[in-house]
């Protein structure tokens, strides 16, 4: 099962559909379609799919440079797990394109990095570095379009 969500990057969810489909390995089949009128394509629209069965994905209806993303910044809470490991919780108030974490040491490892978040979504990222100790203040959160 998955959720298909049409959203405005500034105004949030327009509509949501729940889809149940089974596709075999190495198969390619259409599992959903809709009318152009229902999508109402506009530069601020994004069609996103969310599921526990596969990674999130999305489709924009305009070139990135033409999408009117908000000036929202990711909200981040960081907890220290041990001297070499941090857990960062990132939350979005608006659609965020290309969220990424940065730390000053190049050997730092991230459980995930460079992802989109829809308004209200959050993601937990484990950040570790076996070579140096990490502190919560070492992490910076940014988006591909803006520095936070």
């Amino acid at each position: 099962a998955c959720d298909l969500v049409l959203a405005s990057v500034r105004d949030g969810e327009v509509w949501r559909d729940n889809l149940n489909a089974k596709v075999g390995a190495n198969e390619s089949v259409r599992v959903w379609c809709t009318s152009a009128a229902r999508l109402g394509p506009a530069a601020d629209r994004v069609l996103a799919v969310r599921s526990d069965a596969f990674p999130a994905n999305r489709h924009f209806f305009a070139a990135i440079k033409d999408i009117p993303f908000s000036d929202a910044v990711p909200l981040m809470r960081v907890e220290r797990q041990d001297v070499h490991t941090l857990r960062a919780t990132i939350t979005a108030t608006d659609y965020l394109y290309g969220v990424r974490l940065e730390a000053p040491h190049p050997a730092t490892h991230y459980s995930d990095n460079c992802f989109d978040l829809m308004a209200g979504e959050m993601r937990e990222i484990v950040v570790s570095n076996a070579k140096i100790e990490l502190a919560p203040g070492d992490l910076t959160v940014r988006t591909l379009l803006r520095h936070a």
Side-chain angles (χ1 to χ4, degrees), residues 40-91:
D44 74 327
R45 298 285 172 96
V46 57
L47 182 63
V49 61
R50 300 293 193 254
S51 174
D52 293 333
F54 53 84
N57 205 344
R58 47 91 173 112
H59 174 78
F60 294 116
F61 294 94
I64 296 297
K65 67 180 184 64
D66 296 328
I67 299 173
F69 290 104
S70 77
D71 291 328
V73 295
L75 305 174
M76 180 172 69
R77 187 182 80 241
V78 181
E79 299 172 7
R80 193 172 199 177
Q81 302 295 294
D82 60 51
V83 296
H84 296 283
T85 310
L86 303 172
R87 179 178 305 277
T89 302
I90 301 169
T91 306

mmCIF file of all heavy atoms in Angstrom, residues 40-91:
data_model
loop_
_atom_site.group_PDB
_atom_site.id
_atom_site.type_symbol
_atom_site.label_atom_id
_atom_site.label_comp_id
_atom_site.label_asym_id
_atom_site.label_seq_id
_atom_site.Cartn_x
_atom_site.Cartn_y
_atom_site.Cartn_z
ATOM 1 N N GLY A 40 -4.340 19.371 -11.994
ATOM 2 C CA GLY A 40 -4.249 20.824 -12.041
ATOM 3 C C GLY A 40 -2.805 21.273 -12.026
ATOM 4 O O GLY A 40 -2.417 22.070 -11.180
ATOM 5 N N PRO A 41 -1.970 20.752 -12.925
ATOM 6 C CA PRO A 41 -0.542 21.058 -12.878
ATOM 7 C C PRO A 41 -0.270 22.560 -12.810
ATOM 8 O O PRO A 41 -0.879 23.346 -13.521
ATOM 9 C CB PRO A 41 0.014 20.470 -14.166
ATOM 10 C CG PRO A 41 -0.973 19.437 -14.573
ATOM 11 C CD PRO A 41 -2.311 19.936 -14.085
ATOM 12 N N ALA A 42 0.580 22.896 -11.918
ATOM 13 C CA ALA A 42 1.006 24.278 -11.735
ATOM 14 C C ALA A 42 2.428 24.237 -11.200
ATOM 15 O O ALA A 42 2.877 23.212 -10.676
ATOM 16 C CB ALA A 42 0.079 24.996 -10.762
ATOM 17 N N ALA A 43 3.122 25.324 -11.305
ATOM 18 C CA ALA A 43 4.522 25.363 -10.893
ATOM 19 C C ALA A 43 4.708 25.042 -9.418
ATOM 20 O O ALA A 43 5.769 24.575 -9.010
ATOM 21 C CB ALA A 43 5.130 26.724 -11.209
ATOM 22 N N ASP A 44 3.679 25.243 -8.602
ATOM 23 C CA ASP A 44 3.837 24.989 -7.165
ATOM 24 C C ASP A 44 3.412 23.583 -6.752
ATOM 25 O O ASP A 44 3.452 23.244 -5.582
ATOM 26 C CB ASP A 44 3.039 26.013 -6.352
ATOM 27 C CG ASP A 44 1.545 25.756 -6.404
ATOM 28 O OD1 ASP A 44 1.047 25.277 -7.450
ATOM 29 O OD2 ASP A 44 0.877 26.035 -5.391
ATOM 30 N N ARG A 45 3.050 22.726 -7.689
ATOM 31 C CA ARG A 45 2.525 21.396 -7.354
ATOM 32 C C ARG A 45 3.611 20.329 -7.358
ATOM 33 O O ARG A 45 4.534 20.360 -8.158
ATOM 34 C CB ARG A 45 1.430 20.984 -8.335
ATOM 35 C CG ARG A 45 0.213 21.886 -8.350
ATOM 36 C CD ARG A 45 -0.652 21.653 -7.119
ATOM 37 N NE ARG A 45 -1.722 22.609 -7.007
ATOM 38 C CZ ARG A 45 -2.952 22.399 -7.433
ATOM 39 N NH1 ARG A 45 -3.264 21.289 -8.043
ATOM 40 N NH2 ARG A 45 -3.871 23.321 -7.243
ATOM 41 N N VAL A 46 3.424 19.357 -6.467
ATOM 42 C CA VAL A 46 4.285 18.183 -6.412
ATOM 43 C C VAL A 46 3.389 16.973 -6.169
ATOM 44 O O VAL A 46 2.460 17.025 -5.373
ATOM 45 C CB VAL A 46 5.375 18.301 -5.310
ATOM 46 C CG1 VAL A 46 4.764 18.534 -3.939
ATOM 47 C CG2 VAL A 46 6.281 17.073 -5.291
ATOM 48 N N LEU A 47 3.633 15.896 -6.911
ATOM 49 C CA LEU A 47 2.933 14.632 -6.707
ATOM 50 C C LEU A 47 3.924 13.713 -6.007
ATOM 51 O O LEU A 47 4.985 13.410 -6.554
ATOM 52 C CB LEU A 47 2.483 14.029 -8.039
ATOM 53 C CG LEU A 47 1.704 12.721 -7.943
ATOM 54 C CD1 LEU A 47 0.382 12.903 -7.184
ATOM 55 C CD2 LEU A 47 1.450 12.147 -9.330
ATOM 56 N N ALA A 48 3.590 13.308 -4.798
ATOM 57 C CA ALA A 48 4.516 12.500 -3.991
ATOM 58 C C ALA A 48 3.896 11.151 -3.685
ATOM 59 O O ALA A 48 2.673 11.013 -3.597
ATOM 60 C CB ALA A 48 4.846 13.235 -2.690
ATOM 61 N N VAL A 49 4.748 10.147 -3.525
ATOM 62 C CA VAL A 49 4.299 8.822 -3.113
ATOM 63 C C VAL A 49 5.065 8.460 -1.847
ATOM 64 O O VAL A 49 6.262 8.690 -1.737
ATOM 65 C CB VAL A 49 4.486 7.768 -4.235
ATOM 66 C CG1 VAL A 49 5.943 7.613 -4.626
ATOM 67 C CG2 VAL A 49 3.893 6.428 -3.832
ATOM 68 N N ARG A 50 4.330 7.927 -0.874
ATOM 69 C CA ARG A 50 4.909 7.531 0.403
ATOM 70 C C ARG A 50 4.432 6.122 0.733
ATOM 71 O O ARG A 50 3.254 5.800 0.592
ATOM 72 C CB ARG A 50 4.486 8.476 1.534
ATOM 73 C CG ARG A 50 4.894 9.937 1.318
ATOM 74 C CD ARG A 50 6.401 10.074 1.381
ATOM 75 N NE ARG A 50 6.837 11.451 1.492
ATOM 76 C CZ ARG A 50 7.383 12.142 0.501
ATOM 77 N NH1 ARG A 50 7.513 11.596 -0.691
ATOM 78 N NH2 ARG A 50 7.810 13.368 0.694
ATOM 79 N N SER A 51 5.369 5.273 1.190
ATOM 80 C CA SER A 51 5.048 3.896 1.537
ATOM 81 C C SER A 51 6.111 3.349 2.479
ATOM 82 O O SER A 51 7.266 3.783 2.441
ATOM 83 C CB SER A 51 5.001 3.036 0.276
ATOM 84 O OG SER A 51 4.823 1.675 0.605
ATOM 85 N N ASP A 52 5.718 2.384 3.285
ATOM 86 C CA ASP A 52 6.702 1.672 4.106
ATOM 87 C C ASP A 52 7.435 0.623 3.282
ATOM 88 O O ASP A 52 8.463 0.099 3.710
ATOM 89 C CB ASP A 52 6.009 0.987 5.291
ATOM 90 C CG ASP A 52 5.435 1.989 6.276
ATOM 91 O OD1 ASP A 52 5.964 3.122 6.357
ATOM 92 O OD2 ASP A 52 4.462 1.644 6.967
ATOM 93 N N ALA A 53 6.935 0.307 2.093
ATOM 94 C CA ALA A 53 7.499 -0.763 1.269
ATOM 95 C C ALA A 53 8.626 -0.306 0.338
ATOM 96 O O ALA A 53 9.386 -1.128 -0.154
ATOM 97 C CB ALA A 53 6.389 -1.411 0.438
ATOM 98 N N PHE A 54 8.730 1.004 0.094
ATOM 99 C CA PHE A 54 9.762 1.503 -0.814
ATOM 100 C C PHE A 54 10.070 2.960 -0.480
ATOM 101 O O PHE A 54 9.284 3.625 0.191
ATOM 102 C CB PHE A 54 9.352 1.346 -2.290
ATOM 103 C CG PHE A 54 8.011 1.942 -2.617
ATOM 104 C CD1 PHE A 54 7.873 3.291 -2.909
ATOM 105 C CD2 PHE A 54 6.884 1.142 -2.645
ATOM 106 C CE1 PHE A 54 6.644 3.834 -3.219
ATOM 107 C CE2 PHE A 54 5.641 1.671 -2.950
ATOM 108 C CZ PHE A 54 5.526 3.023 -3.242
ATOM 109 N N PRO A 55 11.212 3.457 -0.963
ATOM 110 C CA PRO A 55 11.579 4.848 -0.649
ATOM 111 C C PRO A 55 10.607 5.859 -1.248
ATOM 112 O O PRO A 55 9.984 5.613 -2.276
ATOM 113 C CB PRO A 55 12.962 4.997 -1.299
ATOM 114 C CG PRO A 55 13.474 3.620 -1.493
ATOM 115 C CD PRO A 55 12.260 2.747 -1.696
ATOM 116 N N ALA A 56 10.504 6.991 -0.590
ATOM 117 C CA ALA A 56 9.642 8.081 -1.059
ATOM 118 C C ALA A 56 10.111 8.560 -2.427
ATOM 119 O O ALA A 56 11.287 8.480 -2.770
ATOM 120 C CB ALA A 56 9.681 9.235 -0.060
ATOM 121 N N ASN A 57 9.162 9.059 -3.203
ATOM 122 C CA ASN A 57 9.489 9.617 -4.504
ATOM 123 C C ASN A 57 8.530 10.767 -4.779
ATOM 124 O O ASN A 57 7.509 10.904 -4.116
ATOM 125 C CB ASN A 57 9.389 8.549 -5.595
ATOM 126 C CG ASN A 57 10.253 8.861 -6.787
ATOM 127 O OD1 ASN A 57 10.709 9.988 -6.969
ATOM 128 N ND2 ASN A 57 10.476 7.863 -7.628
ATOM 129 N N ARG A 58 8.868 11.590 -5.787
ATOM 130 C CA ARG A 58 8.018 12.729 -6.120
ATOM 131 C C ARG A 58 8.237 13.160 -7.553
ATOM 132 O O ARG A 58 9.237 12.828 -8.176
ATOM 133 C CB ARG A 58 8.239 13.893 -5.163
ATOM 134 C CG ARG A 58 9.699 14.234 -4.919
ATOM 135 C CD ARG A 58 10.276 15.239 -5.834
ATOM 136 N NE ARG A 58 11.606 15.609 -5.409
ATOM 137 C CZ ARG A 58 12.686 15.311 -6.088
ATOM 138 N NH1 ARG A 58 12.622 14.613 -7.185
ATOM 139 N NH2 ARG A 58 13.859 15.720 -5.684
ATOM 140 N N HIS A 59 7.248 13.916 -8.056
ATOM 141 C CA HIS A 59 7.338 14.483 -9.403
ATOM 142 C C HIS A 59 6.910 15.939 -9.325
ATOM 143 O O HIS A 59 5.829 16.247 -8.805
ATOM 144 C CB HIS A 59 6.428 13.735 -10.378
ATOM 145 C CG HIS A 59 6.379 14.369 -11.723
ATOM 146 N ND1 HIS A 59 7.393 14.216 -12.642
ATOM 147 C CD2 HIS A 59 5.471 15.190 -12.292
ATOM 148 C CE1 HIS A 59 7.086 14.922 -13.726
ATOM 149 N NE2 HIS A 59 5.931 15.521 -13.529
ATOM 150 N N PHE A 60 7.766 16.819 -9.807
ATOM 151 C CA PHE A 60 7.425 18.234 -9.893
ATOM 152 C C PHE A 60 6.852 18.506 -11.283
ATOM 153 O O PHE A 60 7.221 17.853 -12.252
ATOM 154 C CB PHE A 60 8.653 19.117 -9.668
ATOM 155 C CG PHE A 60 9.214 19.022 -8.282
ATOM 156 C CD1 PHE A 60 10.478 18.514 -8.056
ATOM 157 C CD2 PHE A 60 8.477 19.451 -7.187
ATOM 158 C CE1 PHE A 60 10.997 18.434 -6.777
ATOM 159 C CE2 PHE A 60 8.982 19.380 -5.907
ATOM 160 C CZ PHE A 60 10.244 18.862 -5.697
ATOM 161 N N PHE A 61 6.004 19.514 -11.399
ATOM 162 C CA PHE A 61 5.375 19.866 -12.661
ATOM 163 C C PHE A 61 6.033 21.072 -13.309
ATOM 164 O O PHE A 61 5.495 21.656 -14.254
ATOM 165 C CB PHE A 61 3.877 20.114 -12.450
ATOM 166 C CG PHE A 61 3.144 18.864 -12.054
ATOM 167 C CD1 PHE A 61 2.936 18.563 -10.720
ATOM 168 C CD2 PHE A 61 2.703 17.970 -13.017
ATOM 169 C CE1 PHE A 61 2.274 17.405 -10.348
ATOM 170 C CE2 PHE A 61 2.041 16.810 -12.655
ATOM 171 C CZ PHE A 61 1.833 16.525 -11.315
ATOM 172 N N ALA A 62 7.199 21.455 -12.809
ATOM 173 C CA ALA A 62 7.953 22.583 -13.376
ATOM 174 C C ALA A 62 9.424 22.347 -13.099
ATOM 175 O O ALA A 62 9.790 21.514 -12.257
ATOM 176 C CB ALA A 62 7.499 23.899 -12.739
ATOM 177 N N ALA A 63 10.267 23.077 -13.796
ATOM 178 C CA ALA A 63 11.703 23.024 -13.530
ATOM 179 C C ALA A 63 11.954 23.554 -12.115
ATOM 180 O O ALA A 63 11.242 24.447 -11.643
ATOM 181 C CB ALA A 63 12.460 23.872 -14.544
ATOM 182 N N ILE A 64 12.938 23.004 -11.435
ATOM 183 C CA ILE A 64 13.235 23.404 -10.054
ATOM 184 C C ILE A 64 13.350 24.920 -9.925
ATOM 185 O O ILE A 64 12.829 25.513 -8.981
ATOM 186 C CB ILE A 64 14.525 22.716 -9.559
ATOM 187 C CG1 ILE A 64 14.342 21.192 -9.496
ATOM 188 C CG2 ILE A 64 14.961 23.261 -8.200
ATOM 189 C CD1 ILE A 64 13.290 20.715 -8.530
ATOM 190 N N LYS A 65 13.995 25.570 -10.877
ATOM 191 C CA LYS A 65 14.193 27.026 -10.804
ATOM 192 C C LYS A 65 12.876 27.802 -10.850
ATOM 193 O O LYS A 65 12.817 28.939 -10.404
ATOM 194 C CB LYS A 65 15.119 27.499 -11.929
ATOM 195 C CG LYS A 65 14.516 27.360 -13.317
ATOM 196 C CD LYS A 65 15.479 27.848 -14.390
ATOM 197 C CE LYS A 65 14.870 27.802 -15.757
ATOM 198 N NZ LYS A 65 13.750 28.673 -15.955
ATOM 199 N N ASP A 66 11.805 27.164 -11.345
ATOM 200 C CA ASP A 66 10.522 27.839 -11.475
ATOM 201 C C ASP A 66 9.529 27.513 -10.354
ATOM 202 O O ASP A 66 8.421 28.040 -10.335
ATOM 203 C CB ASP A 66 9.878 27.484 -12.815
ATOM 204 C CG ASP A 66 10.693 27.984 -13.993
ATOM 205 O OD1 ASP A 66 11.340 29.040 -13.855
ATOM 206 O OD2 ASP A 66 10.681 27.316 -15.047
ATOM 207 N N ILE A 67 9.920 26.651 -9.446
ATOM 208 C CA ILE A 67 9.021 26.256 -8.356
ATOM 209 C C ILE A 67 9.124 27.276 -7.227
ATOM 210 O O ILE A 67 10.214 27.582 -6.755
ATOM 211 C CB ILE A 67 9.365 24.842 -7.848
ATOM 212 C CG1 ILE A 67 9.200 23.834 -8.995
ATOM 213 C CG2 ILE A 67 8.482 24.475 -6.658
ATOM 214 C CD1 ILE A 67 9.678 22.450 -8.668
ATOM 215 N N PRO A 68 7.995 27.810 -6.776
ATOM 216 C CA PRO A 68 8.019 28.850 -5.738
ATOM 217 C C PRO A 68 8.108 28.264 -4.322
ATOM 218 O O PRO A 68 7.194 28.399 -3.503
ATOM 219 C CB PRO A 68 6.691 29.571 -5.958
ATOM 220 C CG PRO A 68 5.776 28.492 -6.439
ATOM 221 C CD PRO A 68 6.641 27.597 -7.298
ATOM 222 N N PHE A 69 9.235 27.613 -4.026
ATOM 223 C CA PHE A 69 9.428 27.056 -2.683
ATOM 224 C C PHE A 69 9.350 28.166 -1.643
ATOM 225 O O PHE A 69 9.740 29.304 -1.902
ATOM 226 C CB PHE A 69 10.794 26.368 -2.575
ATOM 227 C CG PHE A 69 10.905 25.102 -3.364
ATOM 228 C CD1 PHE A 69 11.612 25.073 -4.550
ATOM 229 C CD2 PHE A 69 10.304 23.929 -2.926
ATOM 230 C CE1 PHE A 69 11.724 23.910 -5.290
ATOM 231 C CE2 PHE A 69 10.408 22.759 -3.657
ATOM 232 C CZ PHE A 69 11.119 22.748 -4.840
ATOM 233 N N SER A 70 8.863 27.825 -0.462
ATOM 234 C CA SER A 70 8.796 28.809 0.620
ATOM 235 C C SER A 70 10.202 29.011 1.195
ATOM 236 O O SER A 70 11.136 28.282 0.871
ATOM 237 C CB SER A 70 7.842 28.336 1.720
ATOM 238 O OG SER A 70 8.463 27.342 2.509
ATOM 239 N N ASP A 71 10.322 29.980 2.060
ATOM 240 C CA ASP A 71 11.598 30.240 2.728
ATOM 241 C C ASP A 71 11.727 29.455 4.030
ATOM 242 O O ASP A 71 12.594 29.756 4.854
ATOM 243 C CB ASP A 71 11.743 31.740 3.017
ATOM 244 C CG ASP A 71 11.934 32.543 1.744
ATOM 245 O OD1 ASP A 71 12.535 32.018 0.792
ATOM 246 O OD2 ASP A 71 11.463 33.693 1.701
ATOM 247 N N ALA A 72 10.871 28.455 4.222
ATOM 248 C CA ALA A 72 10.900 27.659 5.449
ATOM 249 C C ALA A 72 12.247 26.964 5.606
ATOM 250 O O ALA A 72 12.879 26.573 4.625
ATOM 251 C CB ALA A 72 9.788 26.615 5.421
ATOM 252 N N VAL A 73 12.666 26.844 6.836
ATOM 253 C CA VAL A 73 13.911 26.134 7.135
ATOM 254 C C VAL A 73 13.560 24.862 7.907
ATOM 255 O O VAL A 73 12.569 24.824 8.647
ATOM 256 C CB VAL A 73 14.898 27.008 7.942
ATOM 257 C CG1 VAL A 73 15.365 28.188 7.121
ATOM 258 C CG2 VAL A 73 14.283 27.471 9.237
ATOM 259 N N PRO A 74 14.362 23.830 7.752
ATOM 260 C CA PRO A 74 14.107 22.598 8.506
ATOM 261 C C PRO A 74 14.284 22.848 10.002
ATOM 262 O O PRO A 74 15.167 23.594 10.417
ATOM 263 C CB PRO A 74 15.196 21.640 8.000
ATOM 264 C CG PRO A 74 15.717 22.239 6.740
ATOM 265 C CD PRO A 74 15.507 23.715 6.853
ATOM 266 N N LEU A 75 13.441 22.222 10.792
ATOM 267 C CA LEU A 75 13.592 22.253 12.242
ATOM 268 C C LEU A 75 14.386 21.016 12.638
ATOM 269 O O LEU A 75 14.097 19.917 12.153
ATOM 270 C CB LEU A 75 12.226 22.242 12.916
ATOM 271 C CG LEU A 75 11.258 23.347 12.498
ATOM 272 C CD1 LEU A 75 9.896 23.132 13.132
ATOM 273 C CD2 LEU A 75 11.821 24.706 12.852
ATOM 274 N N MET A 76 15.389 21.176 13.500
ATOM 275 C CA MET A 76 16.234 20.037 13.851
ATOM 276 C C MET A 76 16.415 19.959 15.361
ATOM 277 O O MET A 76 16.700 20.953 16.020
ATOM 278 C CB MET A 76 17.597 20.152 13.171
ATOM 279 C CG MET A 76 18.519 18.983 13.495
ATOM 280 S SD MET A 76 20.054 18.965 12.534
ATOM 281 C CE MET A 76 20.903 20.391 13.195
ATOM 282 N N ARG A 77 16.248 18.744 15.874
ATOM 283 C CA ARG A 77 16.558 18.430 17.264
ATOM 284 C C ARG A 77 17.627 17.339 17.237
ATOM 285 O O ARG A 77 17.498 16.366 16.492
ATOM 286 C CB ARG A 77 15.304 17.939 17.993
ATOM 287 C CG ARG A 77 15.518 17.745 19.490
ATOM 288 C CD ARG A 77 14.270 17.220 20.188
ATOM 289 N NE ARG A 77 14.177 15.783 19.958
ATOM 290 C CZ ARG A 77 13.185 15.158 19.335
ATOM 291 N NH1 ARG A 77 12.184 15.849 18.841
ATOM 292 N NH2 ARG A 77 13.178 13.861 19.184
ATOM 293 N N VAL A 78 18.688 17.509 18.018
ATOM 294 C CA VAL A 78 19.797 16.553 17.999
ATOM 295 C C VAL A 78 19.995 15.996 19.399
ATOM 296 O O VAL A 78 20.082 16.742 20.375
ATOM 297 C CB VAL A 78 21.097 17.216 17.500
ATOM 298 C CG1 VAL A 78 22.226 16.194 17.459
ATOM 299 C CG2 VAL A 78 20.898 17.849 16.131
ATOM 300 N N GLU A 79 20.092 14.665 19.475
ATOM 301 C CA GLU A 79 20.369 13.983 20.735
ATOM 302 C C GLU A 79 21.654 13.190 20.589
ATOM 303 O O GLU A 79 21.896 12.571 19.553
ATOM 304 C CB GLU A 79 19.231 13.020 21.074
ATOM 305 C CG GLU A 79 17.885 13.684 21.249
ATOM 306 C CD GLU A 79 16.757 12.676 21.381
ATOM 307 O OE1 GLU A 79 17.032 11.457 21.474
ATOM 308 O OE2 GLU A 79 15.607 13.106 21.375
ATOM 309 N N ARG A 80 22.453 13.208 21.618
ATOM 310 C CA ARG A 80 23.700 12.442 21.608
ATOM 311 C C ARG A 80 23.396 11.015 22.066
ATOM 312 O O ARG A 80 22.849 10.803 23.142
ATOM 313 C CB ARG A 80 24.703 13.102 22.537
ATOM 314 C CG ARG A 80 26.091 12.585 22.365
ATOM 315 C CD ARG A 80 27.059 13.406 23.157
ATOM 316 N NE ARG A 80 28.393 13.186 22.619
ATOM 317 C CZ ARG A 80 29.448 13.790 23.055
ATOM 318 N NH1 ARG A 80 29.347 14.690 24.007
ATOM 319 N NH2 ARG A 80 30.626 13.526 22.531
ATOM 320 N N GLN A 81 23.753 10.035 21.235
ATOM 321 C CA GLN A 81 23.563 8.628 21.575
ATOM 322 C C GLN A 81 24.775 8.093 22.337
ATOM 323 O O GLN A 81 24.629 7.335 23.269
ATOM 324 C CB GLN A 81 23.343 7.797 20.306
ATOM 325 C CG GLN A 81 22.156 8.257 19.474
ATOM 326 C CD GLN A 81 20.850 8.080 20.203
ATOM 327 O OE1 GLN A 81 20.431 6.970 20.482
ATOM 328 N NE2 GLN A 81 20.196 9.180 20.527
ATOM 329 N N ASP A 82 25.949 8.447 21.871
ATOM 330 C CA ASP A 82 27.219 8.168 22.546
ATOM 331 C C ASP A 82 28.233 9.157 21.986
ATOM 332 O O ASP A 82 27.858 10.035 21.204
ATOM 333 C CB ASP A 82 27.662 6.697 22.374
ATOM 334 C CG ASP A 82 27.857 6.288 20.926
ATOM 335 O OD1 ASP A 82 28.579 6.992 20.185
ATOM 336 O OD2 ASP A 82 27.305 5.242 20.526
ATOM 337 N N VAL A 83 29.515 9.035 22.347
ATOM 338 C CA VAL A 83 30.494 10.058 21.948
ATOM 339 C C VAL A 83 30.721 10.121 20.437
ATOM 340 O O VAL A 83 31.185 11.133 19.921
ATOM 341 C CB VAL A 83 31.849 9.889 22.685
ATOM 342 C CG1 VAL A 83 31.665 10.108 24.172
ATOM 343 C CG2 VAL A 83 32.471 8.539 22.388
ATOM 344 N N HIS A 84 30.375 9.066 19.728
ATOM 345 C CA HIS A 84 30.595 9.027 18.284
ATOM 346 C C HIS A 84 29.296 9.038 17.471
ATOM 347 O O HIS A 84 29.345 8.950 16.242
ATOM 348 C CB HIS A 84 31.411 7.786 17.899
ATOM 349 C CG HIS A 84 32.783 7.783 18.477
ATOM 350 N ND1 HIS A 84 33.802 8.549 17.971
ATOM 351 C CD2 HIS A 84 33.307 7.116 19.536
ATOM 352 C CE1 HIS A 84 34.896 8.357 18.679
ATOM 353 N NE2 HIS A 84 34.623 7.493 19.642
ATOM 354 N N THR A 85 28.141 9.125 18.139
ATOM 355 C CA THR A 85 26.869 8.976 17.435
ATOM 356 C C THR A 85 25.846 10.011 17.899
ATOM 357 O O THR A 85 25.652 10.203 19.105
ATOM 358 C CB THR A 85 26.278 7.571 17.659
ATOM 359 O OG1 THR A 85 27.279 6.588 17.382
ATOM 360 C CG2 THR A 85 25.069 7.334 16.777
ATOM 361 N N LEU A 86 25.190 10.628 16.928
ATOM 362 C CA LEU A 86 24.109 11.565 17.178
ATOM 363 C C LEU A 86 22.855 11.081 16.466
ATOM 364 O O LEU A 86 22.942 10.405 15.441
ATOM 365 C CB LEU A 86 24.465 12.965 16.650
ATOM 366 C CG LEU A 86 25.737 13.607 17.174
ATOM 367 C CD1 LEU A 86 26.030 14.893 16.401
ATOM 368 C CD2 LEU A 86 25.626 13.883 18.662
ATOM 369 N N ARG A 87 21.689 11.447 16.995
ATOM 370 C CA ARG A 87 20.423 11.175 16.320
ATOM 371 C C ARG A 87 19.755 12.527 16.090
ATOM 372 O O ARG A 87 19.419 13.229 17.043
ATOM 373 C CB ARG A 87 19.531 10.266 17.141
ATOM 374 C CG ARG A 87 18.178 9.991 16.461
ATOM 375 C CD ARG A 87 17.299 9.043 17.255
ATOM 376 N NE ARG A 87 17.946 7.788 17.555
ATOM 377 C CZ ARG A 87 18.020 6.729 16.727
ATOM 378 N NH1 ARG A 87 17.466 6.805 15.538
ATOM 379 N NH2 ARG A 87 18.621 5.629 17.086
ATOM 380 N N ALA A 88 19.585 12.869 14.815
ATOM 381 C CA ALA A 88 18.961 14.145 14.456
ATOM 382 C C ALA A 88 17.542 13.882 13.983
ATOM 383 O O ALA A 88 17.309 13.001 13.153
ATOM 384 C CB ALA A 88 19.758 14.831 13.353
ATOM 385 N N THR A 89 16.592 14.635 14.524
ATOM 386 C CA THR A 89 15.203 14.572 14.088
ATOM 387 C C THR A 89 14.911 15.868 13.339
ATOM 388 O O THR A 89 15.032 16.955 13.901
ATOM 389 C CB THR A 89 14.249 14.424 15.284
ATOM 390 O OG1 THR A 89 14.607 13.249 16.009
ATOM 391 C CG2 THR A 89 12.808 14.311 14.814
ATOM 392 N N ILE A 90 14.566 15.735 12.065
ATOM 393 C CA ILE A 90 14.317 16.895 11.208
ATOM 394 C C ILE A 90 12.831 16.930 10.879
ATOM 395 O O ILE A 90 12.252 15.922 10.475
ATOM 396 C CB ILE A 90 15.159 16.818 9.928
ATOM 397 C CG1 ILE A 90 16.641 16.758 10.301
ATOM 398 C CG2 ILE A 90 14.875 18.010 9.025
ATOM 399 C CD1 ILE A 90 17.548 16.427 9.159
ATOM 400 N N THR A 91 12.226 18.099 11.053
ATOM 401 C CA THR A 91 10.796 18.274 10.815
ATOM 402 C C THR A 91 10.588 19.419 9.833
ATOM 403 O O THR A 91 11.310 20.415 9.879
ATOM 404 C CB THR A 91 10.068 18.589 12.141
ATOM 405 O OG1 THR A 91 10.381 17.558 13.086
ATOM 406 C CG2 THR A 91 8.568 18.644 11.945
#
